[in-house]
PDB file of all heavy atoms in Angstrom:
ATOM      1  N   SER A  20     -27.781  33.820  42.232  1.00 98.00           N
ATOM      2  CA  SER A  20     -28.364  34.967  42.935  1.00 98.00           C
ATOM      3  C   SER A  20     -27.964  36.397  42.185  1.00 98.00           C
ATOM      4  O   SER A  20     -27.098  36.476  41.341  1.00 98.00           O
ATOM      5  CB  SER A  20     -27.769  35.115  44.366  1.00 98.00           C
ATOM      6  OG  SER A  20     -28.047  33.874  45.025  1.00 98.00           O
ATOM      7  N   LEU A  21     -28.608  37.418  42.626  1.00 97.00           N
ATOM      8  CA  LEU A  21     -28.297  38.701  42.009  1.00 97.00           C
ATOM      9  C   LEU A  21     -26.929  39.220  42.361  1.00 97.00           C
ATOM     10  O   LEU A  21     -26.385  38.772  43.492  1.00 97.00           O
ATOM     11  CB  LEU A  21     -29.326  39.677  42.418  1.00 97.00           C
ATOM     12  CG  LEU A  21     -30.860  39.260  42.005  1.00 97.00           C
ATOM     13  CD1 LEU A  21     -31.749  40.435  42.394  1.00 97.00           C
ATOM     14  CD2 LEU A  21     -30.935  38.963  40.537  1.00 97.00           C
ATOM     15  N   PRO A  22     -26.317  40.126  41.555  1.00 97.00           N
ATOM     16  CA  PRO A  22     -24.926  40.580  41.911  1.00 97.00           C
ATOM     17  C   PRO A  22     -24.899  41.110  43.246  1.00 97.00           C
ATOM     18  O   PRO A  22     -25.784  41.917  43.767  1.00 97.00           O
ATOM     19  CB  PRO A  22     -24.690  41.576  40.771  1.00 97.00           C
ATOM     20  CG  PRO A  22     -25.575  41.258  39.651  1.00 97.00           C
ATOM     21  CD  PRO A  22     -26.815  40.546  40.292  1.00 97.00           C
ATOM     22  N   ALA A  23     -23.754  40.871  43.933  1.00 97.00           N
ATOM     23  CA  ALA A  23     -23.416  41.339  45.257  1.00 97.00           C
ATOM     24  C   ALA A  23     -24.150  40.782  46.410  1.00 97.00           C
ATOM     25  O   ALA A  23     -23.776  41.027  47.627  1.00 97.00           O
ATOM     26  CB  ALA A  23     -23.664  42.926  45.378  1.00 97.00           C
ATOM     27  N   GLN A  24     -25.081  39.812  46.101  1.00 97.00           N
ATOM     28  CA  GLN A  24     -25.601  38.999  47.229  1.00 97.00           C
ATOM     29  C   GLN A  24     -24.534  37.972  47.651  1.00 97.00           C
ATOM     30  O   GLN A  24     -23.660  37.613  46.945  1.00 97.00           O
ATOM     31  CB  GLN A  24     -26.942  38.259  46.722  1.00 97.00           C
ATOM     32  CG  GLN A  24     -28.072  39.250  46.432  1.00 97.00           C
ATOM     33  CD  GLN A  24     -29.375  38.646  46.190  1.00 97.00           C
ATOM     34  OE1 GLN A  24     -29.492  37.339  46.157  1.00 97.00           O
ATOM     35  NE2 GLN A  24     -30.427  39.414  46.017  1.00 97.00           N
ATOM     36  N   PRO A  25     -24.825  37.440  48.839  1.00 97.00           N
ATOM     37  CA  PRO A  25     -23.809  36.434  49.453  1.00 97.00           C
ATOM     38  C   PRO A  25     -23.605  35.341  48.526  1.00 97.00           C
ATOM     39  O   PRO A  25     -24.546  34.805  47.920  1.00 97.00           O
ATOM     40  CB  PRO A  25     -24.514  36.113  50.794  1.00 97.00           C
ATOM     41  CG  PRO A  25     -25.428  37.256  51.052  1.00 97.00           C
ATOM     42  CD  PRO A  25     -25.943  37.726  49.799  1.00 97.00           C
ATOM     43  N   ARG A  26     -22.475  34.864  48.518  1.00 97.00           N
ATOM     44  CA  ARG A  26     -21.973  33.676  47.787  1.00 97.00           C
ATOM     45  C   ARG A  26     -21.050  32.802  48.607  1.00 97.00           C
ATOM     46  O   ARG A  26     -20.053  32.287  48.157  1.00 97.00           O
ATOM     47  CB  ARG A  26     -21.322  34.071  46.412  1.00 97.00           C
ATOM     48  CG  ARG A  26     -22.229  34.481  45.352  1.00 97.00           C
ATOM     49  CD  ARG A  26     -21.647  35.426  44.300  1.00 97.00           C
ATOM     50  NE  ARG A  26     -22.513  35.565  43.146  1.00 97.00           N
ATOM     51  CZ  ARG A  26     -23.433  36.236  43.056  1.00 97.00           C
ATOM     52  NH1 ARG A  26     -23.994  36.967  44.110  1.00 97.00           N
ATOM     53  NH2 ARG A  26     -24.169  36.303  41.869  1.00 97.00           N
ATOM     54  N   ASP A  27     -21.411  32.650  49.801  1.00 96.00           N
ATOM     55  CA  ASP A  27     -20.416  32.017  50.866  1.00 96.00           C
ATOM     56  C   ASP A  27     -20.859  30.613  51.242  1.00 96.00           C
ATOM     57  O   ASP A  27     -20.293  29.992  52.135  1.00 96.00           O
ATOM     58  CB  ASP A  27     -20.342  32.964  51.988  1.00 96.00           C
ATOM     59  CG  ASP A  27     -21.587  33.188  52.680  1.00 96.00           C
ATOM     60  OD1 ASP A  27     -22.640  33.093  52.082  1.00 96.00           O
ATOM     61  OD2 ASP A  27     -21.508  33.536  53.932  1.00 96.00           O
ATOM     62  N   ARG A  28     -21.982  30.119  50.689  1.00 96.00           N
ATOM     63  CA  ARG A  28     -22.471  28.857  51.214  1.00 96.00           C
ATOM     64  C   ARG A  28     -22.785  27.748  50.107  1.00 96.00           C
ATOM     65  O   ARG A  28     -23.491  26.833  50.400  1.00 96.00           O
ATOM     66  CB  ARG A  28     -23.811  29.127  51.992  1.00 96.00           C
ATOM     67  CG  ARG A  28     -23.668  29.951  53.260  1.00 96.00           C
ATOM     68  CD  ARG A  28     -25.020  30.032  54.071  1.00 96.00           C
ATOM     69  NE  ARG A  28     -25.982  30.710  53.377  1.00 96.00           N
ATOM     70  CZ  ARG A  28     -27.256  30.325  53.139  1.00 96.00           C
ATOM     71  NH1 ARG A  28     -27.472  29.063  53.358  1.00 96.00           N
ATOM     72  NH2 ARG A  28     -28.054  31.171  52.473  1.00 96.00           N
ATOM     73  N   SER A  29     -22.188  27.967  48.954  1.00 96.00           N
ATOM     74  CA  SER A  29     -22.502  26.965  47.948  1.00 96.00           C
ATOM     75  C   SER A  29     -21.236  26.438  47.231  1.00 96.00           C
ATOM     76  O   SER A  29     -20.273  27.301  47.131  1.00 96.00           O
ATOM     77  CB  SER A  29     -23.501  27.460  46.900  1.00 96.00           C
ATOM     78  OG  SER A  29     -23.157  28.634  46.323  1.00 96.00           O
ATOM     79  N   GLN A  30     -21.222  25.297  46.685  1.00 97.00           N
ATOM     80  CA  GLN A  30     -20.052  24.790  45.985  1.00 97.00           C
ATOM     81  C   GLN A  30     -20.039  25.405  44.506  1.00 97.00           C
ATOM     82  O   GLN A  30     -20.993  26.115  44.076  1.00 97.00           O
ATOM     83  CB  GLN A  30     -20.233  23.293  45.820  1.00 97.00           C
ATOM     84  CG  GLN A  30     -20.305  22.563  47.165  1.00 97.00           C
ATOM     85  CD  GLN A  30     -20.545  21.075  46.754  1.00 97.00           C
ATOM     86  OE1 GLN A  30     -21.620  20.669  46.607  1.00 97.00           O
ATOM     87  NE2 GLN A  30     -19.444  20.177  46.820  1.00 97.00           N
ATOM     88  N   ALA A  31     -18.886  25.052  43.798  1.00 97.00           N
ATOM     89  CA  ALA A  31     -18.727  25.461  42.408  1.00 97.00           C
ATOM     90  C   ALA A  31     -19.754  24.593  41.608  1.00 97.00           C
ATOM     91  O   ALA A  31     -20.182  23.533  42.042  1.00 97.00           O
ATOM     92  CB  ALA A  31     -17.459  25.146  41.965  1.00 97.00           C
ATOM     93  N   LEU A  32     -20.229  25.163  40.478  1.00 98.00           N
ATOM     94  CA  LEU A  32     -21.261  24.484  39.698  1.00 98.00           C
ATOM     95  C   LEU A  32     -20.885  23.122  39.277  1.00 98.00           C
ATOM     96  O   LEU A  32     -21.726  22.197  39.410  1.00 98.00           O
ATOM     97  CB  LEU A  32     -21.554  25.284  38.479  1.00 98.00           C
ATOM     98  CG  LEU A  32     -22.642  24.860  37.526  1.00 98.00           C
ATOM     99  CD1 LEU A  32     -23.951  24.683  38.238  1.00 98.00           C
ATOM    100  CD2 LEU A  32     -22.870  25.679  36.327  1.00 98.00           C
ATOM    101  N   ALA A  33     -19.705  22.850  38.888  1.00 98.00           N
ATOM    102  CA  ALA A  33     -19.207  21.558  38.496  1.00 98.00           C
ATOM    103  C   ALA A  33     -19.319  20.488  39.645  1.00 98.00           C
ATOM    104  O   ALA A  33     -19.739  19.482  39.443  1.00 98.00           O
ATOM    105  CB  ALA A  33     -17.838  21.641  37.952  1.00 98.00           C
ATOM    106  N   ASP A  34     -19.023  20.949  40.894  1.00 98.00           N
ATOM    107  CA  ASP A  34     -19.062  20.032  41.978  1.00 98.00           C
ATOM    108  C   ASP A  34     -20.546  19.716  42.294  1.00 98.00           C
ATOM    109  O   ASP A  34     -20.748  18.618  42.611  1.00 98.00           O
ATOM    110  CB  ASP A  34     -18.392  20.704  43.221  1.00 98.00           C
ATOM    111  CG  ASP A  34     -16.901  20.885  43.008  1.00 98.00           C
ATOM    112  OD1 ASP A  34     -16.274  20.099  42.235  1.00 98.00           O
ATOM    113  OD2 ASP A  34     -16.321  21.784  43.586  1.00 98.00           O
ATOM    114  N   ILE A  35     -21.398  20.679  42.173  1.00 98.00           N
ATOM    115  CA  ILE A  35     -22.754  20.461  42.485  1.00 98.00           C
ATOM    116  C   ILE A  35     -23.352  19.435  41.330  1.00 98.00           C
ATOM    117  O   ILE A  35     -24.088  18.448  41.755  1.00 98.00           O
ATOM    118  CB  ILE A  35     -23.612  21.776  42.439  1.00 98.00           C
ATOM    119  CG1 ILE A  35     -23.308  22.642  43.618  1.00 98.00           C
ATOM    120  CG2 ILE A  35     -25.045  21.440  42.362  1.00 98.00           C
ATOM    121  CD1 ILE A  35     -23.929  24.028  43.530  1.00 98.00           C
ATOM    122  N   LEU A  36     -23.022  19.612  40.098  1.00 98.00           N
ATOM    123  CA  LEU A  36     -23.456  18.743  39.042  1.00 98.00           C
ATOM    124  C   LEU A  36     -22.978  17.373  39.230  1.00 98.00           C
ATOM    125  O   LEU A  36     -23.715  16.377  38.998  1.00 98.00           O
ATOM    126  CB  LEU A  36     -23.112  19.247  37.676  1.00 98.00           C
ATOM    127  CG  LEU A  36     -23.791  20.709  37.316  1.00 98.00           C
ATOM    128  CD1 LEU A  36     -23.256  21.098  36.029  1.00 98.00           C
ATOM    129  CD2 LEU A  36     -25.292  20.515  37.359  1.00 98.00           C
ATOM    130  N   VAL A  37     -21.729  17.171  39.699  1.00 98.00           N
ATOM    131  CA  VAL A  37     -21.178  15.873  39.989  1.00 98.00           C
ATOM    132  C   VAL A  37     -22.024  15.242  41.067  1.00 98.00           C
ATOM    133  O   VAL A  37     -22.389  14.111  41.031  1.00 98.00           O
ATOM    134  CB  VAL A  37     -19.695  15.951  40.284  1.00 98.00           C
ATOM    135  CG1 VAL A  37     -19.197  14.616  40.872  1.00 98.00           C
ATOM    136  CG2 VAL A  37     -18.918  16.277  39.049  1.00 98.00           C
ATOM    137  N   ASP A  38     -22.284  16.040  42.199  1.00 97.00           N
ATOM    138  CA  ASP A  38     -23.053  15.481  43.276  1.00 97.00           C
ATOM    139  C   ASP A  38     -24.434  15.107  42.807  1.00 97.00           C
ATOM    140  O   ASP A  38     -25.150  14.158  43.359  1.00 97.00           O
ATOM    141  CB  ASP A  38     -23.216  16.532  44.366  1.00 97.00           C
ATOM    142  CG  ASP A  38     -21.947  16.753  45.192  1.00 97.00           C
ATOM    143  OD1 ASP A  38     -20.980  15.838  45.012  1.00 97.00           O
ATOM    144  OD2 ASP A  38     -21.815  17.741  45.857  1.00 97.00           O
ATOM    145  N   CYS A  39     -25.087  15.707  41.746  1.00 98.00           N
ATOM    146  CA  CYS A  39     -26.392  15.405  41.227  1.00 98.00           C
ATOM    147  C   CYS A  39     -26.308  14.151  40.399  1.00 98.00           C
ATOM    148  O   CYS A  39     -27.377  13.525  40.213  1.00 98.00           O
ATOM    149  CB  CYS A  39     -26.863  16.549  40.408  1.00 98.00           C
ATOM    150  SG  CYS A  39     -27.345  18.054  41.310  1.00 98.00           S
ATOM    151  N   GLY A  40     -25.026  13.723  39.993  1.00 97.00           N
ATOM    152  CA  GLY A  40     -25.001  12.374  39.198  1.00 97.00           C
ATOM    153  C   GLY A  40     -24.478  12.615  37.895  1.00 97.00           C
ATOM    154  O   GLY A  40     -24.446  11.632  37.082  1.00 97.00           O
ATOM    155  N   LEU A  41     -23.995  13.791  37.491  1.00 97.00           N
ATOM    156  CA  LEU A  41     -23.494  14.019  36.194  1.00 97.00           C
ATOM    157  C   LEU A  41     -22.006  13.486  36.201  1.00 97.00           C
ATOM    158  O   LEU A  41     -21.408  13.787  37.173  1.00 97.00           O
ATOM    159  CB  LEU A  41     -23.573  15.428  35.723  1.00 97.00           C
ATOM    160  CG  LEU A  41     -25.028  15.812  35.007  1.00 97.00           C
ATOM    161  CD1 LEU A  41     -26.094  15.560  35.888  1.00 97.00           C
ATOM    162  CD2 LEU A  41     -25.009  17.240  34.491  1.00 97.00           C
ATOM    163  N   LYS A  42     -21.507  12.980  35.174  1.00 95.00           N
ATOM    164  CA  LYS A  42     -20.172  12.609  35.053  1.00 95.00           C
ATOM    165  C   LYS A  42     -19.733  12.442  33.547  1.00 95.00           C
ATOM    166  O   LYS A  42     -20.481  12.615  32.619  1.00 95.00           O
ATOM    167  CB  LYS A  42     -19.939  11.254  35.766  1.00 95.00           C
ATOM    168  CG  LYS A  42     -20.820  10.192  35.199  1.00 95.00           C
ATOM    169  CD  LYS A  42     -20.633   8.851  36.131  1.00 95.00           C
ATOM    170  CE  LYS A  42     -21.521   7.750  35.733  1.00 95.00           C
ATOM    171  NZ  LYS A  42     -21.460   6.599  36.541  1.00 95.00           N
ATOM    172  N   ALA A  43     -18.409  12.305  33.420  1.00 95.00           N
ATOM    173  CA  ALA A  43     -17.839  12.238  32.203  1.00 95.00           C
ATOM    174  C   ALA A  43     -18.365  11.038  31.334  1.00 95.00           C
ATOM    175  O   ALA A  43     -18.700   9.977  31.971  1.00 95.00           O
ATOM    176  CB  ALA A  43     -16.292  12.063  32.161  1.00 95.00           C
ATOM    177  N   GLY A  44     -18.497  11.121  30.011  1.00 94.00           N
ATOM    178  CA  GLY A  44     -18.967  10.047  29.184  1.00 94.00           C
ATOM    179  C   GLY A  44     -20.359   9.976  29.064  1.00 94.00           C
ATOM    180  O   GLY A  44     -20.949   9.186  28.246  1.00 94.00           O
ATOM    181  N   GLN A  45     -21.130  10.850  29.735  1.00 95.00           N
ATOM    182  CA  GLN A  45     -22.625  10.690  29.663  1.00 95.00           C
ATOM    183  C   GLN A  45     -23.232  11.549  28.473  1.00 95.00           C
ATOM    184  O   GLN A  45     -22.507  12.458  27.915  1.00 95.00           O
ATOM    185  CB  GLN A  45     -23.273  11.276  30.963  1.00 95.00           C
ATOM    186  CG  GLN A  45     -23.190  10.410  32.145  1.00 95.00           C
ATOM    187  CD  GLN A  45     -23.844  11.114  33.319  1.00 95.00           C
ATOM    188  OE1 GLN A  45     -23.841  12.354  33.477  1.00 95.00           O
ATOM    189  NE2 GLN A  45     -24.388  10.352  34.224  1.00 95.00           N
ATOM    190  N   ARG A  46     -24.223  11.033  27.932  1.00 96.00           N
ATOM    191  CA  ARG A  46     -25.027  11.814  26.873  1.00 96.00           C
ATOM    192  C   ARG A  46     -26.125  12.568  27.729  1.00 96.00           C
ATOM    193  O   ARG A  46     -27.064  12.014  28.381  1.00 96.00           O
ATOM    194  CB  ARG A  46     -25.712  10.794  25.925  1.00 96.00           C
ATOM    195  CG  ARG A  46     -26.529  11.500  24.957  1.00 96.00           C
ATOM    196  CD  ARG A  46     -27.085  10.435  24.006  1.00 96.00           C
ATOM    197  NE  ARG A  46     -28.220  11.062  23.139  1.00 96.00           N
ATOM    198  CZ  ARG A  46     -27.974  11.763  21.959  1.00 96.00           C
ATOM    199  NH1 ARG A  46     -26.737  11.974  21.560  1.00 96.00           N
ATOM    200  NH2 ARG A  46     -28.921  12.259  21.178  1.00 96.00           N
ATOM    201  N   ILE A  47     -25.827  13.894  27.732  1.00 97.00           N
ATOM    202  CA  ILE A  47     -26.729  14.745  28.563  1.00 97.00           C
ATOM    203  C   ILE A  47     -27.570  15.680  27.712  1.00 97.00           C
ATOM    204  O   ILE A  47     -27.110  16.294  26.766  1.00 97.00           O
ATOM    205  CB  ILE A  47     -25.899  15.607  29.507  1.00 97.00           C
ATOM    206  CG1 ILE A  47     -25.004  14.719  30.351  1.00 97.00           C
ATOM    207  CG2 ILE A  47     -26.686  16.567  30.219  1.00 97.00           C
ATOM    208  CD1 ILE A  47     -23.946  15.450  31.193  1.00 97.00           C
ATOM    209  N   GLY A  48     -28.888  15.704  27.932  1.00 97.00           N
ATOM    210  CA  GLY A  48     -29.828  16.571  27.293  1.00 97.00           C
ATOM    211  C   GLY A  48     -30.019  17.867  27.944  1.00 97.00           C
ATOM    212  O   GLY A  48     -30.293  17.926  29.123  1.00 97.00           O
TER     213      GLY A  48
END
């Protein structure tokens, strides 16, 4: 989101990506 907009309802990017199915050892494009 744009600067100063709310940031109180989402996880950290790494946690979101893990929830999406990304993990160590993968070949990611």
Side-chain angles (χ1 to χ4, degrees):
S20 305
L21 302 183
Q24 288 188 1
R26 280 160 166 73
D27 58 340
R28 293 188 293 122
S29 57
Q30 297 175 280
L32 180 59
D34 295 332
I35 292 175
L36 294 177
V37 168
D38 289 345
C39 291
L41 273 60
K42 57 187 178 182
Q45 288 179 326
R46 177 176 169 84
I47 299 172

